[in-house]
Amino acid sequence: MIEFYKTTDEGTVQIENLEPGCWVNVMRPSSEERTWLLDDLEIAPEFIRSALDDEESPHTDFDDDTRQVLVILDCASIEDRAETVDDTIVQYDTQPLAFLIVPEKECIVTLSLVPNETVRLFTTKRLRKLDTENRTDMMLQMMLHVSQQYLVCLRNIHRQFIKNEKELHRTMRNKELIKMLGFEKSLVYFSTSLKADDAVLQKLNTGRVVKLDSDDRDVLEDVTIEIRQAMEMSSIYATILNGSMETFGTVISNNLNLTMRTLTAMALVLAIPTIIFSFYGMNVAILPLDQTWIWPVLMAVGVSVVSAVVLWARKFFIK
């Protein structure tokens, strides 16, 4: 899918064809659309390959011949339901979003393989007014929203974690522990992508890849602050999660030890009647009061009760 947008006096509107100063939004391009990007926009082939690689790490590149600029950032996205560990929680992944500045065609191109929340909000005019002719500012504004989206997702992960932690305190089921694994997975993705995004911002800040004026540097500084705040939040949440998982593992192991101690004490008490009846079941005549069954029963019950009381007093049955 290829869409064209341009800022006019009426705001940013969708147009039919490529025009100077427009924004070209490309999402999951077909083979014909890839050919159009190569032939009509004359984008460097290696830039297209990098932008369409879902495993591509964030980086920047510059083509000396065409003066084209490629910037790839990882964006937070909701993970595919087919890959989640539990359907009742929202897990997150990261997907690359490529920015291509094409000076010869006087346009900026965004390219992604999956629907991107930042692009969607900009195309539906739910964010601030764009200036598609100012390509650098537009790219930085979209980067700013990408960084803010990380913070939104991290807060959502934290809310889900708190809710699941309360449920774990109450039930200690495997289902809640598996949910914790999903949170840890999301935080690992975020931590890795945020570090790579921060490295891209540092390279942009040098001004060698894209020329920056004072306003652009202010926006880039805001993006860097948001990214580093997200990095800090991700690190804190990961530390809390790891500590909680270790604590719950210790609690589960301790509960198992207490349960085994209780079962051992119960088995000991229940073994006493068996031992006494075994003695009286022997074919010998030296056991006392072996003429009636009442005495063995009373002895078994009495010894069992005394043993149970002693074990209870020593808190063998108390968790």
Side-chain angles (χ1 to χ4, degrees):
M1 180 190 73
I2 297 180
E3 297 175 333
F4 304 94
Y5 296 88
K6 186 174 182 179
T7 301
T8 64
D9 295 336
E10 299 176 357
T12 303
V13 296
Q14 187 171 359
I15 57 179
E16 295 295 330
N17 298 301
L18 179 68
E19 295 181 9
C22 74
W23 163 32
V24 183
N25 176 37
V26 183
M27 196 273 289
R28 198 183 295 117
S30 61
S31 57
E32 293 80 6
E33 291 170 339
R34 295 187 188 191
T35 302
W36 182 85
L37 292 173
L38 290 169
D39 297 340
D40 290 35
L41 280 186
E42 300 177 357
I43 297 176
E46 59 272 17
F47 285 2
I48 297 294
R49 286 193 297 269
S50 296
L52 295 178
D53 185 0
D54 60 349
E55 299 296 334
E56 189 72 21
S57 59
H59 69 277
T60 63
D61 203 350
F62 179 79
D63 188 273
D64 295 326
D65 297 330
T66 60
R67 296 186 297 113
Q68 295 176 3
V69 176
L70 170 67
V71 179
I72 297 180
L73 284 185
D74 273 346
C75 304
S77 64
I78 297 177
E79 190 171 41
D80 188 355
R81 288 293 182 183
E83 300 179 2
T84 57
V85 297
D86 195 301
D87 290 338
T88 61
I89 63 173
V90 180
Q91 290 181 220
Y92 294 95
D93 196 355
T94 56
Q95 294 292 338
L97 175 63
F99 300 91
L100 289 154
I101 296 178
V102 187
E104 293 180 348
K105 301 297 181 179
E106 300 181 19
C107 67
I108 182 171
V109 181
T110 56
L111 203 156
S112 61
L113 290 173
V114 296
N116 187 279
E117 181 67 13
T118 298
V119 174
R120 185 186 68 82
L121 292 175
F122 274 85
T123 56
T124 54
K125 303 178 183 179
R126 296 187 181 180
L127 296 179
R128 55 174 291 182
K129 181 180 177 181
L130 289 177
D131 183 4
T132 56
E133 294 187 1
N134 190 341
R135 297 183 291 272
T136 301
D137 179 69
M138 177 181 169
M139 180 180 68
L140 293 174
Q141 292 296 336
M142 296 186 78
M143 287 181 176
L144 180 60
H145 185 267
V146 167
S147 63
Q148 293 170 345
Q149 194 66 24
Y150 272 110
L151 297 176
V152 173
C153 295
L154 284 168
R155 293 188 184 101
N156 189 30
I157 290 175
H158 185 61
R159 285 194 295 268
Q160 292 185 93
F161 169 73
I162 294 298
K163 181 180 178 181
N164 191 68
E165 189 178 31
K166 292 179 180 179
E167 190 68 20
L168 262 176
H169 282 295
R170 190 175 64 86
T171 62
M172 281 290 180
R173 296 181 301 181
N174 290 338
K175 183 178 180 180
E176 276 66 39
L177 292 174
I178 293 175
K179 289 180 180 179
M180 291 291 198
L181 176 63
F183 300 144
E184 185 176 16
K185 182 180 176 183
S186 298
L187 290 174
V188 169
Y189 284 145
F190 279 10
S191 297
T192 304
S193 296
L194 286 166
K195 290 178 182 178
D197 286 353
D198 184 60
V200 171
L201 297 178
Q202 296 309 306
K203 190 170 183 180
L204 289 176
N205 193 42
T206 61
R208 291 194 296 267
V209 178
V210 179
K211 299 300 180 182
L212 304 173
D213 57 26
S214 58
D215 293 336
D216 293 336
R217 290 192 179 277
D218 289 340
V219 178
L220 182 58
E221 183 180 356
D222 292 339
V223 178
T224 303
I225 291 173
E226 297 285 352
I227 287 290
R228 291 183 177 176
Q229 182 181 352
M231 291 172 61
E232 187 70 20
M233 289 175 61
S234 179
S235 176
I236 292 172
Y237 292 163
T239 302
I240 294 173
L241 179 60
N242 291 334
S244 297
M245 291 291 284
E246 291 178 1
T247 301
F248 284 124
T250 303
V251 170
I252 291 172
S253 177
N254 188 51
N255 288 342
L256 178 61
N257 293 335
L258 293 175
T259 300
M260 294 303 298
R261 186 184 69 178
T262 301
L263 292 175
T264 302
M266 293 175 62
L268 178 62
V269 172
L270 295 176
I272 293 175
T274 302
I275 295 173
I276 293 176
F277 290 139
S278 296
F279 278 123
Y280 278 87
M282 296 179 183
N283 191 18
V284 295
I286 59 174
L287 295 175
L289 303 174
D290 59 350
Q291 296 81 14
T292 178
W293 56 270
I294 296 178
W295 169 247
V297 171
L298 292 176
M299 183 184 296
V301 172
V303 176
S304 297
V305 170
V306 171
S307 301
V309 171
V310 172
L311 292 174
W312 182 272
R314 293 180 175 272
K315 299 182 179 180
F316 272 79
F317 297 106
I318 300 177
K319 290 186 178 182

